[in-house]
Amino acid sequence: MKMNFLSIIAAALILVVGCQSKSQSTAEDAAKNGTTTAVEANSTTTEKVDVSKIKVADAKTILERKQVPILCYHQIRNWKAGDGPMTKDYTVETQNFKDQMKMLADSGYHTILPDQLYAYLNNGTKLPSKPIMLTFDDTVLDQYTTVNPTLKKYGFKAAYFIMTVSIGKKGKFVNYMNAEQIKQLSDEGNTIGSHTYDHKNFKKYEGKDWEEQLDKPTKRLEEIIGKKIDYFAYPFGLWNNQGFPELKKRGFKMAFALADKRDERDPLMSVRRIIASGHWNPKMLSNSIKNSF
């Protein structure tokens, strides 16, 4: 797929906006003291799971299990003068994000990763109390510079869905993570997932799109982190069930959408998330989590 540098950045800027629709006292003490070692050492929220041994359950069984709250973030930065309402919706200001993470920790939430969710949905594998999943789309640099240190403070882990066209790119308004930073996130125990090459609408894939948007990006990510990529997030949250066989053929175990209703025949390919809006303060986020899941 041929795109010059300026068009890549322009497209990426558009999609960043439109990619829509145990004790917590240890964490608090660490936050007050400015340390993270104790939290990280004692965290049991993201236990490793051997997903290769898990048999996929029937759709009815999966749909009957209580949904785990899953948040979707994009940019974490302070709003700028030119930001419109939609941009602000997908951009959580830095202090607000930190306050949101503190709220989750103070409220007793424990982060889980896709492997744990997969085991729970299929086998009923026990999860920690008040499980929640944090996901970050589009490879934006602040996910490394701001998000990662903040999550470490509370012993949290996350899933990062990478759009490979933007890896290492620097733009006028948005900068993106490079391969080394992505690998570091993986090495530190976070999950790296695929988010296509350049964010093309999944519902429009045909012909070579499957190779360009799924095969090549996945291969590149696997080369970067040295691990198999098992999870996928739909651009814009848009999906159709006609594409599910293509995802399964490539070994994807789950695919993440946004707030739409799950597919009744294949809920693993339409896992729900909600956008963590930049317009929400921590209390509003807390209420939305409870009301949405």
PDB file of all heavy atoms in Angstrom, residues 5 8-9 138-141 162-171 174-182 220 224:
ATOM      1  N   PHE A   5       4.351  10.335   3.109  1.00  0.00           N
ATOM      2  CA  PHE A   5       4.417  10.650   4.536  1.00  0.00           C
ATOM      3  C   PHE A   5       3.314  11.610   4.972  1.00  0.00           C
ATOM      4  O   PHE A   5       2.652  11.405   5.969  1.00  0.00           O
ATOM      5  CB  PHE A   5       5.788  11.241   4.859  1.00  0.00           C
ATOM      6  CG  PHE A   5       5.956  11.604   6.301  1.00  0.00           C
ATOM      7  CD1 PHE A   5       6.183  10.621   7.242  1.00  0.00           C
ATOM      8  CD2 PHE A   5       5.870  12.917   6.722  1.00  0.00           C
ATOM      9  CE1 PHE A   5       6.345  10.939   8.582  1.00  0.00           C
ATOM     10  CE2 PHE A   5       6.026  13.240   8.051  1.00  0.00           C
ATOM     11  CZ  PHE A   5       6.266  12.256   8.970  1.00  0.00           C
ATOM     12  N   ILE A   8      -0.059   9.950   5.113  1.00  0.00           N
ATOM     13  CA  ILE A   8      -0.123   9.025   6.247  1.00  0.00           C
ATOM     14  C   ILE A   8      -0.481   9.796   7.510  1.00  0.00           C
ATOM     15  O   ILE A   8      -1.381   9.411   8.259  1.00  0.00           O
ATOM     16  CB  ILE A   8       1.226   8.309   6.451  1.00  0.00           C
ATOM     17  CG1 ILE A   8       1.432   7.275   5.345  1.00  0.00           C
ATOM     18  CG2 ILE A   8       1.279   7.619   7.811  1.00  0.00           C
ATOM     19  CD1 ILE A   8       2.805   6.627   5.377  1.00  0.00           C
ATOM     20  N   ILE A   9       0.240  10.878   7.764  1.00  0.00           N
ATOM     21  CA  ILE A   9      -0.002  11.658   8.975  1.00  0.00           C
ATOM     22  C   ILE A   9      -1.403  12.261   8.952  1.00  0.00           C
ATOM     23  O   ILE A   9      -2.115  12.255   9.953  1.00  0.00           O
ATOM     24  CB  ILE A   9       1.058  12.765   9.134  1.00  0.00           C
ATOM     25  CG1 ILE A   9       2.430  12.128   9.334  1.00  0.00           C
ATOM     26  CG2 ILE A   9       0.716  13.681  10.286  1.00  0.00           C
ATOM     27  CD1 ILE A   9       2.518  11.235  10.557  1.00  0.00           C
ATOM     28  N   ASP A 138      -4.290   2.953  18.527  1.00  0.00           N
ATOM     29  CA  ASP A 138      -3.700   3.867  17.538  1.00  0.00           C
ATOM     30  C   ASP A 138      -2.232   4.221  17.713  1.00  0.00           C
ATOM     31  O   ASP A 138      -1.710   5.042  16.970  1.00  0.00           O
ATOM     32  CB  ASP A 138      -4.504   5.173  17.424  1.00  0.00           C
ATOM     33  CG  ASP A 138      -5.915   4.954  16.922  1.00  0.00           C
ATOM     34  OD1 ASP A 138      -6.197   3.843  16.421  1.00  0.00           O
ATOM     35  OD2 ASP A 138      -6.735   5.875  17.018  1.00  0.00           O
ATOM     36  N   THR A 139      -1.531   3.645  18.723  1.00  0.00           N
ATOM     37  CA  THR A 139      -0.072   3.781  18.775  1.00  0.00           C
ATOM     38  C   THR A 139       0.417   5.147  19.228  1.00  0.00           C
ATOM     39  O   THR A 139       1.595   5.478  19.062  1.00  0.00           O
ATOM     40  CB  THR A 139       0.563   3.453  17.385  1.00  0.00           C
ATOM     41  OG1 THR A 139      -0.259   2.545  16.666  1.00  0.00           O
ATOM     42  CG2 THR A 139       1.951   2.857  17.526  1.00  0.00           C
ATOM     43  N   VAL A 140      -0.456   5.978  19.776  1.00  0.00           N
ATOM     44  CA  VAL A 140      -0.092   7.354  20.129  1.00  0.00           C
ATOM     45  C   VAL A 140       1.005   7.364  21.203  1.00  0.00           C
ATOM     46  O   VAL A 140       0.974   6.597  22.160  1.00  0.00           O
ATOM     47  CB  VAL A 140      -1.325   8.128  20.617  1.00  0.00           C
ATOM     48  CG1 VAL A 140      -0.964   9.572  20.942  1.00  0.00           C
ATOM     49  CG2 VAL A 140      -2.432   8.076  19.562  1.00  0.00           C
ATOM     50  N   LEU A 141       1.995   8.257  21.047  1.00  0.00           N
ATOM     51  CA  LEU A 141       3.170   8.276  21.909  1.00  0.00           C
ATOM     52  C   LEU A 141       2.838   8.500  23.375  1.00  0.00           C
ATOM     53  O   LEU A 141       3.493   7.954  24.262  1.00  0.00           O
ATOM     54  CB  LEU A 141       4.164   9.345  21.429  1.00  0.00           C
ATOM     55  CG  LEU A 141       5.469   9.459  22.224  1.00  0.00           C
ATOM     56  CD1 LEU A 141       6.258   8.142  22.195  1.00  0.00           C
ATOM     57  CD2 LEU A 141       6.323  10.611  21.682  1.00  0.00           C
ATOM     58  N   ILE A 162      -2.175  -1.705  18.053  1.00  0.00           N
ATOM     59  CA  ILE A 162      -1.219  -0.932  17.265  1.00  0.00           C
ATOM     60  C   ILE A 162      -1.611  -0.843  15.794  1.00  0.00           C
ATOM     61  O   ILE A 162      -1.873  -1.852  15.134  1.00  0.00           O
ATOM     62  CB  ILE A 162       0.187  -1.565  17.360  1.00  0.00           C
ATOM     63  CG1 ILE A 162       0.614  -1.693  18.831  1.00  0.00           C
ATOM     64  CG2 ILE A 162       1.199  -0.758  16.550  1.00  0.00           C
ATOM     65  CD1 ILE A 162       0.732  -0.396  19.576  1.00  0.00           C
ATOM     66  N   MET A 163      -1.632   0.372  15.274  1.00  0.00           N
ATOM     67  CA  MET A 163      -1.808   0.640  13.849  1.00  0.00           C
ATOM     68  C   MET A 163      -0.404   0.803  13.265  1.00  0.00           C
ATOM     69  O   MET A 163       0.308   1.751  13.602  1.00  0.00           O
ATOM     70  CB  MET A 163      -2.646   1.910  13.698  1.00  0.00           C
ATOM     71  CG  MET A 163      -2.822   2.413  12.292  1.00  0.00           C
ATOM     72  SD  MET A 163      -3.768   3.959  12.307  1.00  0.00           S
ATOM     73  CE  MET A 163      -2.677   5.034  13.264  1.00  0.00           C
ATOM     74  N   THR A 164       0.004  -0.106  12.410  1.00  0.00           N
ATOM     75  CA  THR A 164       1.429  -0.163  12.059  1.00  0.00           C
ATOM     76  C   THR A 164       1.902   0.945  11.125  1.00  0.00           C
ATOM     77  O   THR A 164       3.097   1.249  11.094  1.00  0.00           O
ATOM     78  CB  THR A 164       1.779  -1.524  11.437  1.00  0.00           C
ATOM     79  OG1 THR A 164       0.953  -1.769  10.302  1.00  0.00           O
ATOM     80  CG2 THR A 164       1.591  -2.648  12.447  1.00  0.00           C
ATOM     81  N   VAL A 165       1.012   1.575  10.364  1.00  0.00           N
ATOM     82  CA  VAL A 165       1.444   2.636   9.455  1.00  0.00           C
ATOM     83  C   VAL A 165       2.101   3.786  10.213  1.00  0.00           C
ATOM     84  O   VAL A 165       2.974   4.491   9.684  1.00  0.00           O
ATOM     85  CB  VAL A 165       0.269   3.172   8.610  1.00  0.00           C
ATOM     86  CG1 VAL A 165      -0.715   3.940   9.455  1.00  0.00           C
ATOM     87  CG2 VAL A 165       0.773   4.039   7.459  1.00  0.00           C
ATOM     88  N   SER A 166       1.700   3.972  11.458  1.00  0.00           N
ATOM     89  CA  SER A 166       2.160   5.146  12.213  1.00  0.00           C
ATOM     90  C   SER A 166       3.373   4.880  13.096  1.00  0.00           C
ATOM     91  O   SER A 166       3.897   5.816  13.705  1.00  0.00           O
ATOM     92  CB  SER A 166       1.014   5.676  13.081  1.00  0.00           C
ATOM     93  OG  SER A 166       0.557   4.682  13.967  1.00  0.00           O
ATOM     94  N   ILE A 167       3.844   3.649  13.164  1.00  0.00           N
ATOM     95  CA  ILE A 167       4.945   3.324  14.077  1.00  0.00           C
ATOM     96  C   ILE A 167       6.158   4.218  13.806  1.00  0.00           C
ATOM     97  O   ILE A 167       6.656   4.291  12.678  1.00  0.00           O
ATOM     98  CB  ILE A 167       5.344   1.841  13.955  1.00  0.00           C
ATOM     99  CG1 ILE A 167       4.205   0.946  14.460  1.00  0.00           C
ATOM    100  CG2 ILE A 167       6.621   1.549  14.759  1.00  0.00           C
ATOM    101  CD1 ILE A 167       4.468  -0.533  14.279  1.00  0.00           C
ATOM    102  N   GLY A 168       6.608   4.928  14.834  1.00  0.00           N
ATOM    103  CA  GLY A 168       7.792   5.779  14.725  1.00  0.00           C
ATOM    104  C   GLY A 168       7.585   7.101  14.017  1.00  0.00           C
ATOM    105  O   GLY A 168       8.533   7.878  13.877  1.00  0.00           O
ATOM    106  N   LYS A 169       6.354   7.405  13.604  1.00  0.00           N
ATOM    107  CA  LYS A 169       6.100   8.642  12.861  1.00  0.00           C
ATOM    108  C   LYS A 169       5.950   9.831  13.812  1.00  0.00           C
ATOM    109  O   LYS A 169       5.503   9.714  14.945  1.00  0.00           O
ATOM    110  CB  LYS A 169       4.826   8.504  12.014  1.00  0.00           C
ATOM    111  CG  LYS A 169       4.897   7.451  10.930  1.00  0.00           C
ATOM    112  CD  LYS A 169       5.893   7.838   9.860  1.00  0.00           C
ATOM    113  CE  LYS A 169       5.796   6.923   8.641  1.00  0.00           C
ATOM    114  NZ  LYS A 169       6.048   5.507   8.918  1.00  0.00           N
ATOM    115  N   LYS A 170       6.359  10.994  13.314  1.00  0.00           N
ATOM    116  CA  LYS A 170       6.183  12.244  14.049  1.00  0.00           C
ATOM    117  C   LYS A 170       5.395  13.203  13.180  1.00  0.00           C
ATOM    118  O   LYS A 170       5.727  13.421  12.012  1.00  0.00           O
ATOM    119  CB  LYS A 170       7.540  12.850  14.410  1.00  0.00           C
ATOM    120  CG  LYS A 170       8.337  12.013  15.402  1.00  0.00           C
ATOM    121  CD  LYS A 170       9.634  12.697  15.796  1.00  0.00           C
ATOM    122  CE  LYS A 170      10.391  11.867  16.823  1.00  0.00           C
ATOM    123  NZ  LYS A 170      11.656  12.521  17.239  1.00  0.00           N
ATOM    124  N   GLY A 171       4.350  13.769  13.733  1.00  0.00           N
ATOM    125  CA  GLY A 171       3.514  14.687  12.971  1.00  0.00           C
ATOM    126  C   GLY A 171       3.441  16.047  13.629  1.00  0.00           C
ATOM    127  O   GLY A 171       3.991  16.269  14.712  1.00  0.00           O
ATOM    128  N   VAL A 174       0.445  15.050  16.287  1.00  0.00           N
ATOM    129  CA  VAL A 174       0.487  13.775  17.008  1.00  0.00           C
ATOM    130  C   VAL A 174       1.788  13.044  16.711  1.00  0.00           C
ATOM    131  O   VAL A 174       2.197  12.955  15.546  1.00  0.00           O
ATOM    132  CB  VAL A 174      -0.693  12.862  16.601  1.00  0.00           C
ATOM    133  CG1 VAL A 174      -0.691  11.574  17.437  1.00  0.00           C
ATOM    134  CG2 VAL A 174      -2.026  13.583  16.776  1.00  0.00           C
ATOM    135  N   ASN A 175       2.431  12.516  17.747  1.00  0.00           N
ATOM    136  CA  ASN A 175       3.588  11.644  17.575  1.00  0.00           C
ATOM    137  C   ASN A 175       3.204  10.229  17.986  1.00  0.00           C
ATOM    138  O   ASN A 175       2.261  10.027  18.757  1.00  0.00           O
ATOM    139  CB  ASN A 175       4.769  12.131  18.417  1.00  0.00           C
ATOM    140  CG  ASN A 175       5.306  13.474  17.933  1.00  0.00           C
ATOM    141  OD1 ASN A 175       5.305  13.758  16.743  1.00  0.00           O
ATOM    142  ND2 ASN A 175       5.745  14.303  18.860  1.00  0.00           N
ATOM    143  N   TYR A 176       3.955   9.252  17.463  1.00  0.00           N
ATOM    144  CA  TYR A 176       3.585   7.862  17.667  1.00  0.00           C
ATOM    145  C   TYR A 176       4.738   7.046  18.249  1.00  0.00           C
ATOM    146  O   TYR A 176       5.914   7.390  18.083  1.00  0.00           O
ATOM    147  CB  TYR A 176       3.123   7.240  16.340  1.00  0.00           C
ATOM    148  CG  TYR A 176       1.901   7.923  15.774  1.00  0.00           C
ATOM    149  CD1 TYR A 176       2.023   9.022  14.913  1.00  0.00           C
ATOM    150  CD2 TYR A 176       0.626   7.496  16.119  1.00  0.00           C
ATOM    151  CE1 TYR A 176       0.895   9.671  14.416  1.00  0.00           C
ATOM    152  CE2 TYR A 176      -0.506   8.141  15.623  1.00  0.00           C
ATOM    153  CZ  TYR A 176      -0.364   9.223  14.772  1.00  0.00           C
ATOM    154  OH  TYR A 176      -1.475   9.862  14.292  1.00  0.00           O
ATOM    155  N   MET A 177       4.396   5.959  18.910  1.00  0.00           N
ATOM    156  CA  MET A 177       5.414   5.087  19.503  1.00  0.00           C
ATOM    157  C   MET A 177       6.269   4.438  18.422  1.00  0.00           C
ATOM    158  O   MET A 177       5.789   4.145  17.317  1.00  0.00           O
ATOM    159  CB  MET A 177       4.743   3.985  20.332  1.00  0.00           C
ATOM    160  CG  MET A 177       4.125   4.474  21.612  1.00  0.00           C
ATOM    161  SD  MET A 177       3.543   3.091  22.654  1.00  0.00           S
ATOM    162  CE  MET A 177       1.992   2.679  21.844  1.00  0.00           C
ATOM    163  N   ASN A 178       7.536   4.175  18.763  1.00  0.00           N
ATOM    164  CA  ASN A 178       8.399   3.442  17.837  1.00  0.00           C
ATOM    165  C   ASN A 178       8.432   1.964  18.230  1.00  0.00           C
ATOM    166  O   ASN A 178       7.841   1.551  19.243  1.00  0.00           O
ATOM    167  CB  ASN A 178       9.814   4.055  17.801  1.00  0.00           C
ATOM    168  CG  ASN A 178      10.498   4.038  19.166  1.00  0.00           C
ATOM    169  OD1 ASN A 178      10.335   3.106  19.950  1.00  0.00           O
ATOM    170  ND2 ASN A 178      11.287   5.072  19.449  1.00  0.00           N
ATOM    171  N   ALA A 179       9.131   1.173  17.448  1.00  0.00           N
ATOM    172  CA  ALA A 179       9.152  -0.272  17.669  1.00  0.00           C
ATOM    173  C   ALA A 179       9.737  -0.639  19.023  1.00  0.00           C
ATOM    174  O   ALA A 179       9.247  -1.548  19.706  1.00  0.00           O
ATOM    175  CB  ALA A 179       9.934  -0.956  16.547  1.00  0.00           C
ATOM    176  N   GLU A 180      10.777   0.064  19.447  1.00  0.00           N
ATOM    177  CA  GLU A 180      11.417  -0.240  20.727  1.00  0.00           C
ATOM    178  C   GLU A 180      10.463   0.009  21.895  1.00  0.00           C
ATOM    179  O   GLU A 180      10.439  -0.750  22.874  1.00  0.00           O
ATOM    180  CB  GLU A 180      12.686   0.603  20.898  1.00  0.00           C
ATOM    181  CG  GLU A 180      13.827   0.247  19.967  1.00  0.00           C
ATOM    182  CD  GLU A 180      13.597   0.709  18.526  1.00  0.00           C
ATOM    183  OE1 GLU A 180      12.755   1.624  18.309  1.00  0.00           O
ATOM    184  OE2 GLU A 180      14.240   0.142  17.617  1.00  0.00           O
ATOM    185  N   GLN A 181       9.684   1.064  21.804  1.00  0.00           N
ATOM    186  CA  GLN A 181       8.739   1.374  22.877  1.00  0.00           C
ATOM    187  C   GLN A 181       7.613   0.346  22.927  1.00  0.00           C
ATOM    188  O   GLN A 181       7.173  -0.070  24.014  1.00  0.00           O
ATOM    189  CB  GLN A 181       8.185   2.790  22.670  1.00  0.00           C
ATOM    190  CG  GLN A 181       9.255   3.861  22.892  1.00  0.00           C
ATOM    191  CD  GLN A 181       8.870   5.212  22.316  1.00  0.00           C
ATOM    192  OE1 GLN A 181       8.040   5.305  21.395  1.00  0.00           O
ATOM    193  NE2 GLN A 181       9.469   6.271  22.851  1.00  0.00           N
ATOM    194  N   ILE A 182       7.161  -0.079  21.771  1.00  0.00           N
ATOM    195  CA  ILE A 182       6.122  -1.112  21.703  1.00  0.00           C
ATOM    196  C   ILE A 182       6.632  -2.410  22.314  1.00  0.00           C
ATOM    197  O   ILE A 182       5.931  -3.071  23.093  1.00  0.00           O
ATOM    198  CB  ILE A 182       5.676  -1.335  20.248  1.00  0.00           C
ATOM    199  CG1 ILE A 182       4.971  -0.080  19.724  1.00  0.00           C
ATOM    200  CG2 ILE A 182       4.763  -2.555  20.129  1.00  0.00           C
ATOM    201  CD1 ILE A 182       4.745  -0.074  18.226  1.00  0.00           C
ATOM    202  N   ARG A 220       4.407  -7.914  11.209  1.00  0.00           N
ATOM    203  CA  ARG A 220       5.357  -6.910  11.681  1.00  0.00           C
ATOM    204  C   ARG A 220       5.338  -6.801  13.199  1.00  0.00           C
ATOM    205  O   ARG A 220       6.391  -6.713  13.848  1.00  0.00           O
ATOM    206  CB  ARG A 220       5.060  -5.541  11.061  1.00  0.00           C
ATOM    207  CG  ARG A 220       6.119  -4.515  11.487  1.00  0.00           C
ATOM    208  CD  ARG A 220       5.957  -3.188  10.828  1.00  0.00           C
ATOM    209  NE  ARG A 220       7.040  -2.292  11.255  1.00  0.00           N
ATOM    210  CZ  ARG A 220       7.034  -0.973  11.095  1.00  0.00           C
ATOM    211  NH1 ARG A 220       6.019  -0.386  10.481  1.00  0.00           N
ATOM    212  NH2 ARG A 220       8.043  -0.243  11.527  1.00  0.00           N
ATOM    213  N   ILE A 224       8.330  -7.495  15.955  1.00  0.00           N
ATOM    214  CA  ILE A 224       8.753  -6.473  16.917  1.00  0.00           C
ATOM    215  C   ILE A 224       8.793  -7.033  18.340  1.00  0.00           C
ATOM    216  O   ILE A 224       9.774  -6.844  19.071  1.00  0.00           O
ATOM    217  CB  ILE A 224       7.820  -5.247  16.863  1.00  0.00           C
ATOM    218  CG1 ILE A 224       8.046  -4.467  15.555  1.00  0.00           C
ATOM    219  CG2 ILE A 224       8.058  -4.323  18.067  1.00  0.00           C
ATOM    220  CD1 ILE A 224       7.046  -3.343  15.335  1.00  0.00           C
TER     221      ILE A 224
END
